[in-house]
Amino acid sequence: MVEHAALRAAGGTYVVDARIDFAFSEDNLEAMRNGVALTVIVDIEVRRERGKWWDETLVARELRYRIETNVLTGRYRVRNLDEGSTRNHRSLEEMMETLGHLESVPVIARERLSADAHYAARIRARLDIEALPSPLRPIAYLSPRWRLNSGWFEWRIER
Amino acid sequence: MSRLGQGAAPIVVLGLVLLGSTYLMSNATQDSARFGELYSALLAINAVALIGLGVLIARNLYHLLHQARERRPGARLTVRMVIVFVVLSVTPVTIVYYFSLQFLHRGIDSWFDVRIERALDDALDLSRTALGVRMRELLAQTARIASDLEPLTDEQAVGALDDARRLSGASELTLIGANGRIVGSSITDPTSVVPSRPDDTILLQARGAGDYIGLDDIGDRGLHVQVVMSVPSHEATGEPRLLQALFPVTERMDALADSVESASAKYRELSYLRKPLKLSFTLTLSIVLLVSLFTAVYAAFRSARRMVAPLQDLSEGTKAVAGGDYETQLPSAARDEIGFLVASFNEMTRQLKRAHDETRASQLLVEAQRAYLETVLRRLSTGVLTLDGDRRLVTANHAATEILGVDLDAMIGATLDTLADRHPDLAPLVHNLLERFGQGTAQGQREGREEVGVATPQGRRTLVCSTASLAGGEGDVIVFDDATEFIRAQRSAAWSEVARRLAHEIKNPLTPIQLAAERLRHKYLHKVQSIDAAQMDRLTRTIVQQVESMKEMVNAFSDYARTPAMRQVSIDLNALVLDVVELYRTASPAVRFETRLGRPLPAVHADPDRLRQVLHNLLKNAVEACGGGEAPWVRTQTRPGGAHDEAMVELSVHDSGAGFRDDVVDRIFEPYVTSKPKGTGLGLAIAKKIVEEHGGAVSGRNAPGGGARITVLLPAANTSHGPAPRAGAATSVQDA
Ligand SMILES: Nc1ncnc2c1ncn2[C@@H]1O[C@H](COP(=O)(O)OP(=O)(O)OP(=O)(O)O)[C@@H](O)[C@H]1O
Ligand SMILES: [Mg+2]
């Protein structure tokens, strides 16, 4: 569930700050505890509103994080698949806290937004089922307890 | 019935595609990297194929059941064959499926062993213990460094860090101030400048509860032991500082721990995935089973239908032939027994058709002949009736109806007696016929012609009637002609002949009588006494006068009876009129003769002697009519054209007399109509006959200013077709 999200200008680009509560289900956590790596995806989109027409998607960013557990150390390791950096967390809560805290994610250059148009941004978090081991995929697709999807959180960009 | 995709090729291709996709899917289940990504898509494709096949089968099934319920030929056989095929293919496949599933589940379960799990856990514990020993050493070592740093100020401590690090073998030593700020650090790795900062939670723990020690992956530098402990301040009041030491685990140990960890993790994951794995294997196997099963069932449908189709065709073809359609030809089937059957059927229908065509051709011939005869009979002016053996009317042609004036078509099927009852007028005919039929049954005896008088709406008619038995003796044919006109003409001709002879015979002695009377008078009148003389004079004069008038009468009589052949030439009517009028002018000087002749006047094509006679008759009547009046006149007029653009010439004679008398005005052209004491009444009749013979017309009426006026119209000679003499009874008389 996206608790809060906002776009703000930082230098020449717009960046997104957001707080996301990853409501992992018991099945997710069970899999995670048993050494199954989960991949979560955060989608961020900026769209130009066009009235009757479909909104035009100006930019669509996808942030992918892979969560692994280390049995030996008992640590939760979060790997940012876009940057390749990793971070260890000693507890699940700590991991979720950090993962859910997005700060200054650059999204779009400022000059791409013109003054005389309306824009909206939206964000959502979901579990990447295709990244699961294949035996789990049919279950993950079919079972609602597996499907993790926050739904879109959308807001108008005010300037 | 539709034959989807005649050949087997599409089915084979479909089957191969399904087989390929199921193979890929089963590979993907085993998580080989190549197919792992395709797994979901393959699953979806196979599911869709399955649904498609299911729909196809359902449709086929529905059609089949529908046909079976409607008892469509071949449907029950198809149902039976489909059932056999399906049972034959489904049973073994289902058995194999069941055992495969058993093997699969047992196989997957056999991968997992409690002892292996135990061993892996133990290995994990062992690593932890081994690391724990090392960690305790390192904790003691860090405590020593911390106690060394305790008396030093921050600046001194930072200076001592490098030495302490080198001595202790740590990869990184960091001193953190009371406010959480890094006071100083010493790092082995020359590339990393920034010291790693412990988490806030660790810092909190180190400050409050006590020392922190933990095993951690530090960035990409591998497994490290992290120790954080407080260093009491050199000043009594100062906040304690924190020291963080990172010791690398030995390379061998790192590798071993890593291996143990990953193996354990993998095993744990696998063990966790056991259920989903079974599920997905079952799913894959089920889909493979269903795809092959459905394909088999569908193939069963198709092959059953293909096998039954020729039989069905045969059954339908037989029905069609039974219903009279001999054109039926079945598509030739394969070269098996059924194919032979189909070929035989086709041969049979061909022969049937040939026979049928021949029958039909002869039927058409008969019908054509019948139609021909009917046409001839209809056009015949002779009446023809046919009767069956019971003397019932079978046919009657149009002429028979016309002649008898009875609607014979309505009487078809009635006996002759009924006919006589219904139409009493026909009784004489019927009696005559029955009489003849009664005379004998031998054919020759009945045939012959006889005249029968019958009263019809058109008047009394004389029929010449003959009968004959039909071939085979079943019935009779009656043929009759209307001889009324013919007989009338014959009679008329006979009368003419009598009249002519009579006139001739009477005329011959008249001349001697006249001559004798005149000589008697001439010779003895002056010799007899005066009284006798007067009487003799009177008597002889009477004789001569009466003989004269008798002669005239006989002449007129013979004129009517005998008309010489016409001799038509082109004549100038004006000249003829002038000629004749001139004669009358000298004969009757008291009458003023006026002529108004139209010029130019088209010539007329006529017999000049007869036209002269017409003029004579008209002028004679006119002079007789106006003779007694004051200033009598007769006006003869000619002019071209009739009422219409027909090329005609008009001739009229108008007199100053009293006009036609009322009692005769309507009948003046009829023979023997006269108002004159000595008139024959033939003058105008002859004039009319002659004019009509020339194709003209004559009419008479009283003129508005008084006097009678007779108008004659004659066709002009230069008309394209020329004058056509009218055929009439008189012509027949003349010909006869
Ligand atoms: N010009 C006429 N004026 C008055 N009546 C006429 C005239 N011409 C004919 N008729 C009437 O028509 C009748 C028939 O004439 P038609 O010439 O046929 O016979 P007819 O003159 O009486 O006898 P015939 O010609 O032998 O002397 C006449 O008796 C007369 O009454
Ligand atoms: Mg006359």
Side-chain angles (χ1 to χ4, degrees):
Chain A
M1 199 185 75
V2 180
E3 287 172 349
H4 157 79
L7 198 74
R8 79 183 147 80
T13 50
Y14 279 109
V15 295
V16 162
D17 300 325
R19 284 204 64 80
I20 301 168
D21 176 19
F22 286 95
F24 286 114
S25 71
E26 196 44 51
D27 290 33
N28 296 152
L29 295 176
E30 168 92 21
M32 219 188 308
R33 274 197 289 276
N34 280 290
V36 177
L38 303 186
T39 303
V40 294
I41 300 176
V42 177
D43 293 310
I44 303 171
E45 286 183 12
V46 175
R47 296 145 68 82
R48 190 159 68 89
E49 292 180 344
R50 290 197 290 188
K52 290 177 202 159
W53 292 86
W54 291 57
D55 291 353
E56 178 194 12
T57 304
L58 292 180
V59 74
R61 269 210 73 174
E62 201 183 65
L63 311 175
R64 295 155 65 86
Y65 301 98
R66 192 169 174 84
I67 307 166
E68 294 157 356
T69 48
N70 191 316
V71 199
L72 188 65
T73 58
R75 297 288 192 265
Y76 292 88
R77 186 198 310 208
V78 176
R79 191 185 292 274
N80 183 332
L81 292 179
D82 305 308
E83 295 166 10
S85 63
T86 57
R87 234 189 124 161
N88 285 319
H89 303 280
R90 292 190 304 139
S91 71
L92 185 65
E93 293 72 34
E94 188 192 313
M95 185 271 290
M96 295 218 297
E97 168 75 18
T98 335
L99 192 61
H101 202 88
L102 293 183
E103 209 165 293
S104 302
V105 179
V107 176
I108 190 166
R110 284 188 73 170
E111 66 264 22
R112 284 192 61 191
L113 303 192
S114 68
D116 52 350
H118 295 289
Y119 295 94
R122 56 183 191 173
I123 184 167
R124 74 168 170 192
R126 62 192 164 97
L127 183 70
D128 186 3
I129 292 175
E130 281 302 304
L132 290 171
S134 49
L136 269 178
R137 278 182 225 160
I139 301 169
Y141 272 120
L142 297 176
S143 156
R145 284 180 303 162
W146 260 96
R147 229 174 295 134
L148 176 72
N149 193 332
S150 69
W152 286 107
F153 178 89
E154 194 159 0
W155 72 99
R156 293 283 288 278
I157 299 176
E158 311 287 350
R159 274 169 301 147
Chain B
M1 189 175 277
S2 68
R3 297 212 175 100
L4 279 152
Q6 202 68 33
I11 285 294
V12 170
V13 168
L14 183 73
L16 286 179
V17 166
L18 287 176
L19 210 64
S21 71
T22 45
Y23 168 76
L24 288 177
M25 195 172 63
S26 69
N27 268 346
T29 313
Q30 284 148 35
D31 209 357
S32 62
R34 233 185 333 147
F35 303 114
E37 286 156 23
L38 290 174
Y39 180 67
S40 300
L42 285 171
L43 210 62
I45 287 172
N46 277 289
V48 166
L50 211 57
I51 289 168
L53 274 170
V55 167
L56 220 55
I57 288 170
R59 233 188 54 181
N60 272 297
L61 195 66
Y62 173 78
H63 275 301
L64 191 58
L65 290 182
H66 183 69
Q67 285 174 358
R69 208 170 305 130
E70 288 205 333
R71 297 185 180 282
R72 214 68 91 61
R76 284 149 153 278
L77 189 59
T78 317
V79 168
R80 206 175 302 158
M81 284 175 90
V82 166
I83 289 174
V84 168
F85 282 147
V86 168
V87 167
L88 281 182
S89 58
V90 167
T91 319
V93 169
T94 316
I95 292 170
V96 168
Y97 172 70
Y98 174 75
F99 283 103
S100 308
L101 223 53
Q102 294 293 314
F103 281 128
L104 198 70
H105 285 197
R106 241 172 267 154
I108 290 175
D109 283 340
S110 73
W111 296 350
F112 302 96
D113 192 333
V114 190
R115 280 168 299 175
I116 296 176
E117 203 173 335
R118 186 75 253 143
L120 277 173
D121 283 352
D122 290 350
L124 212 56
D125 267 354
L126 195 63
S127 334
R128 281 204 197 103
T129 321
L131 285 169
V133 173
R134 172 98 178 105
M135 276 155 75
R136 268 193 298 282
E137 283 173 23
L138 292 175
L139 187 65
Q141 207 165 357
T142 314
R144 273 198 299 277
I145 298 171
S147 63
D148 285 351
L149 292 177
E150 195 179 327
L152 301 181
T153 59
D154 284 357
E155 289 76 33
Q156 289 169 330
V158 170
L161 278 180
D162 274 340
D163 285 344
R165 179 181 59 76
R166 230 172 287 127
L167 283 174
S168 65
S171 68
E172 186 179 325
L173 276 180
T174 311
L175 190 65
I176 299 162
N179 50 5
R181 195 171 47 82
I182 292 177
V183 179
S185 72
S186 165
I187 308 172
T188 329
D189 190 356
T191 53
S192 74
V193 200
V194 187
S196 64
R197 221 185 92 96
D199 288 334
D200 293 343
T201 44
I202 299 176
L203 291 181
L204 218 65
Q205 188 198 334
R207 264 192 232 285
D211 306 336
Y212 165 85
I213 181 158
L215 202 61
D216 233 333
D217 270 335
I218 303 298
D220 305 323
R221 287 181 280 167
L223 211 55
H224 280 71
V225 175
Q226 186 185 24
V227 183
V228 181
M229 59 174 54
S230 64
V231 180
S233 176
H234 62 287
E235 299 148 33
T237 53
E239 280 276 308
R241 293 162 295 182
L242 291 177
L243 175 71
Q244 178 190 242
L246 292 178
F247 300 95
V249 175
T250 58
E251 216 165 281
R252 171 127 184 89
M253 202 158 196
D254 189 10
L256 285 174
D258 206 39
S259 156
V260 167
E261 196 273 337
S262 67
S264 171
K266 192 76 205 157
Y267 188 82
R268 202 185 272 232
E269 185 187 357
L270 270 181
S271 150
Y272 168 73
L273 288 178
R274 175 161 28 159
K275 244 166 66 190
L277 197 62
K278 275 188 197 168
L279 201 76
S280 69
F281 271 134
T282 310
L283 195 68
T284 308
L285 196 64
S286 305
I287 285 181
V288 171
L289 170 93
L290 286 178
V291 165
S292 49
L293 215 61
F294 279 19
T295 314
V297 170
Y298 183 61
F301 269 105
R302 283 188 57 88
S303 54
R305 202 179 291 156
R306 277 174 75 91
M307 280 178 128
V308 171
L311 295 178
Q312 208 163 351
D313 287 349
L314 265 177
S315 144
E316 265 163 20
T318 315
K319 245 189 229 165
V321 170
D325 177 11
Y326 302 116
E327 304 274 346
T328 318
Q329 286 284 306
L330 301 181
S332 52
R335 284 202 207 184
D336 49 13
E337 283 73 9
I338 291 177
F340 175 71
L341 204 59
V342 167
S344 307
F345 178 88
N346 285 344
E347 181 56 32
M348 181 189 80
T349 54
R350 262 197 295 278
Q351 283 184 2
L352 269 176
K353 181 168 155 42
R354 212 173 300 134
H356 181 252
D357 284 352
E358 276 164 17
T359 320
R360 199 159 162 66
S362 55
Q363 205 174 337
L364 280 179
L365 196 69
V366 169
E367 267 169 24
Q369 278 176 351
R370 194 185 144 80
Y372 170 77
L373 273 180
E374 256 175 25
T375 314
V376 170
L377 277 181
R378 199 168 326 120
R379 294 279 162 243
L380 219 54
S381 62
T382 303
V384 179
L385 305 178
T386 56
L387 305 177
D388 64 7
D390 297 330
R391 308 265 142 76
R392 287 174 195 282
L393 195 59
V394 179
T395 60
N397 72 345
H398 182 68
T401 304
E402 286 277 284
I403 292 170
L404 297 180
V406 168
D407 184 9
L408 288 174
D409 286 340
M411 300 298 294
I412 297 283
T415 60
L416 283 183
D417 292 326
T418 327
L419 190 65
D421 286 349
R422 204 74 63 76
H423 300 282
D425 290 347
L426 299 184
L429 177 68
V430 170
H431 288 317
N432 179 280
L433 291 171
L434 288 177
E435 216 168 90
R436 281 181 194 224
F437 293 142
Q439 271 172 11
T441 42
Q443 288 182 19
Q445 280 181 301
R446 277 204 233 149
E447 287 166 14
R449 295 170 70 85
E450 212 167 292
E451 277 184 21
V452 186
V454 175
T456 69
Q458 289 93 39
R460 208 179 154 67
R461 283 175 179 271
T462 310
L463 307 184
V464 177
C465 176
S466 69
T467 60
S469 330
L470 285 173
E474 284 301 303
D476 300 274
V477 58
I478 303 161
V479 180
F480 52 89
D481 274 307
D482 183 4
T484 315
E485 288 297 335
F486 176 69
I487 288 168
R488 192 179 291 159
Q490 245 181 355
R491 213 169 275 164
S492 176
W495 270 111
S496 288
E497 186 62 20
V498 169
R500 202 164 54 79
R501 288 241 183 104
L502 211 64
H504 187 69
E505 294 300 325
I506 292 172
K507 225 161 95 178
N508 276 352
L510 279 184
T511 313
I513 292 174
Q514 195 183 15
L515 283 177
E518 277 174 357
R519 275 182 73 181
L520 201 68
R521 186 180 150 85
H522 189 71
K523 230 176 171 178
Y524 300 105
L525 189 59
H526 55 277
K527 288 185 186 167
V528 295
Q529 294 301 312
S530 56
I531 309 157
D532 292 340
Q535 196 173 6
M536 187 169 174
D537 181 37
R538 207 176 62 239
L539 289 174
T540 52
R541 198 185 305 258
T542 305
I543 290 171
V544 169
Q545 273 176 356
Q546 290 303 320
V547 166
E548 190 64 33
S549 71
M550 210 166 174
K551 250 185 177 170
E552 273 178 28
M553 212 163 81
V554 167
N555 274 340
F557 194 43
S558 68
D559 276 353
Y560 176 73
R562 185 187 52 133
T563 36
M566 282 232 283
R567 185 176 49 84
Q568 284 184 318
V569 291
S570 186
I571 52 171
D572 180 5
L573 189 64
N574 284 343
L576 189 75
V577 166
L578 284 177
D579 212 11
V580 178
V581 168
E582 202 50 44
L583 280 176
Y584 276 86
R585 205 172 262 148
T586 44
S588 321
V591 180
R592 183 165 59 86
F593 286 94
E594 227 178 276
T595 50
R596 294 187 181 173
L597 302 178
R599 289 177 204 275
L601 193 72
V604 290
H605 190 67
D607 185 331
D609 290 340
R610 297 205 186 186
L611 266 197
R612 196 181 287 269
Q613 192 179 355
V614 170
L615 263 176
H616 269 301
N617 288 359
L618 299 185
L619 287 173
K620 180 166 168 271
N621 280 351
V623 169
E624 282 168 1
C626 66
E630 266 179 36
W633 52 263
V634 172
R635 187 185 301 142
T636 311
Q637 198 171 348
T638 60
R639 60 186 176 122
H644 309 289
D645 53 1
E646 238 177 318
M648 302 288 267
V649 176
E650 190 186 283
L651 163 75
S652 65
V653 177
H654 188 185
D655 61 59
S656 60
F660 302 112
R661 272 169 43 180
D662 285 346
D663 55 339
V664 298
V665 68
D666 292 332
R667 302 182 290 128
I668 49 173
F669 293 107
E670 288 176 19
Y672 313 119
V673 171
T674 180
S675 60
K676 297 171 191 168
K678 283 187 177 175
T680 60
L682 286 173
L684 286 180
I686 288 169
K688 177 175 156 73
K689 196 174 122 187
I690 289 169
V691 168
E692 286 181 350
E693 274 170 5
H694 284 84
V698 61
S699 61
R701 62 187 175 89
N702 287 325
R709 181 188 179 119
I710 300 277
T711 307
V712 173
L713 271 175
L714 285 168
N718 56 355
T719 46
S720 57
H721 49 79
R726 246 201 232 170
T731 322
S732 310
V733 170
Q734 177 199 337
D735 291 347

